């Protein structure tokens, strides 16, 4: 659970208060093609989702491992 919270907090800090539309607008304002900016934003969001899923899986595995260790002591 701790890893998940850290991952989500990191994602929120990295995301800041800027919306995806604003990030795309900032990107295109620098002269980058809209499609490239859009694709970059999609990859950024997918990276955040992947990190969250990885943390959730790690937490679930850890919880399962702890539960099975405690079950053997009965």
């Amino acid at each position: 659970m701790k890893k998940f919270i850290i991952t989500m907090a990191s994602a929120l800090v990295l995301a800041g208060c800027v919306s995806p539309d604003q990030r795309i607008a900032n990107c295109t304002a620098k002269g980058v093609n809209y499609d490239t900016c859009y694709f970059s934003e999609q990859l950024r969001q997918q990276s955040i989702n992947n990190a969250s899923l990885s943390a959730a899986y790690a937490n679930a595995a850890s919880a399962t491992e702890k539960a099975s260790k405690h079950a053997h002591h009965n």
Side-chain angles (χ1 to χ4, degrees), residues 27-57:
C27 180
T28 56
K30 294 176 185 176
V32 180
N33 180 301
Y34 176 84
D35 290 337
T36 303
C37 294
Y38 181 83
F39 182 67
S40 175
E41 178 61 21
Q42 294 300 309
L43 289 176
R44 188 191 73 75
Q45 290 179 12
Q46 188 61 44
S47 296
I48 292 170
N49 290 341
N50 288 343
S52 297
L53 282 173
S54 292
Y57 290 142

